[in-house]
Amino acid sequence: MRALMLDIAILLEDGWPGIDWEELAERAVTAAIAHSPYAAFVNSAATYEIAVKLTSDEEVHQLNRAYRDKDKPTNVLSFPMVQCDLLEGTANTDDGEVLLGDIVLAEGVCAREAQGKGISIADHAAHLIVHGTFHLLGYDHMVDAEAEAMEALEIRALANLGLPDPYGDRETGD
């Protein structure tokens, strides 16, 4: 089996800690894809492209307002470029490249959430990149059944990265 052909562009703005974001994003995206129904992409001849932008709360606030009509920053936004019903056929691209989409993380929100969870910003960002990748692959969490399916995939992908279940601290029966 050959390695997944990924081209991950990291756009890093001031405020984020100095870690190897390219390596972290590549590991997170690879784990998400490998634990999805699209794991066959691993053997594909196509190169899958994702841009990960690590930016400010202010920029994410503007994007959230413009694209989701929510007037506040959020931890992660995803902008898929391939319709979910067309993902299966992406390996047959004419130019050998598939732009899956963009993932945008807000530094302040990510840092506050990580601190609240007692984990590093890198570990929380890895979870958010996994989460964002599943959105690029057509997953959502608008209804309970979809949320449970997406969370189960995230938990398996994160375990592959050596990270704990981020949803394990929730109360059951809510």
Side-chain angles (χ1 to χ4, degrees):
M1 179 164 75
R2 73 179 189 80
L4 176 62
M5 294 297 298
L6 286 176
D7 182 7
I8 300 176
I10 297 293
L11 306 163
L12 180 63
E13 295 194 0
D14 291 340
W16 289 85
I19 66 168
D20 188 346
W21 289 106
E22 288 183 23
E23 191 268 338
L24 183 144
E26 185 171 330
R27 289 183 63 235
V29 169
T30 300
I33 292 173
H35 288 86
S36 79
Y38 302 102
F41 288 180
V42 172
N43 293 318
S44 172
T47 297
Y48 292 88
E49 300 176 16
I50 295 175
V52 177
K53 185 168 190 177
L54 305 167
T55 191
S56 67
D57 287 7
E58 294 77 23
E59 182 171 353
V60 172
H61 185 161
Q62 291 171 3
L63 292 168
N64 207 20
R65 184 175 42 234
Y67 291 98
R68 298 178 66 226
D69 203 28
K70 296 190 181 211
D71 195 19
K72 62 181 182 178
T74 188
N75 53 12
V76 61
L77 291 171
S78 300
F79 298 95
M81 300 300 252
V82 178
Q83 291 176 210
C84 7
D85 60 338
L86 300 176
L87 280 167
E88 282 296 327
T90 57
N92 299 321
T93 177
D94 290 337
D95 63 3
E97 296 179 357
V98 179
L99 179 58
L100 286 179
D102 301 332
I103 300 169
V104 184
L105 275 65
E107 186 275 328
V109 175
C110 187
R112 286 188 298 278
E113 289 177 349
Q115 183 176 24
K117 294 173 182 283
I119 62 174
S120 72
I121 193 169
D123 286 354
H124 190 47
H127 171 219
L128 296 176
I129 293 169
V130 165
H131 183 88
T133 301
F134 280 116
H135 278 306
L136 298 184
L137 296 175
Y139 285 87
D140 210 338
H141 44 80
M142 299 305 285
V143 296
D144 287 346
E146 290 175 353
E148 289 173 18
M150 185 172 171
E151 289 171 6
L153 291 171
E154 287 179 43
I155 291 165
R156 287 200 307 267
L158 291 168
N160 184 256
L161 297 172
L163 298 176
D165 174 357
Y167 302 109
D169 60 352
R170 287 183 303 190
E171 297 285 325
T172 58
D174 286 344

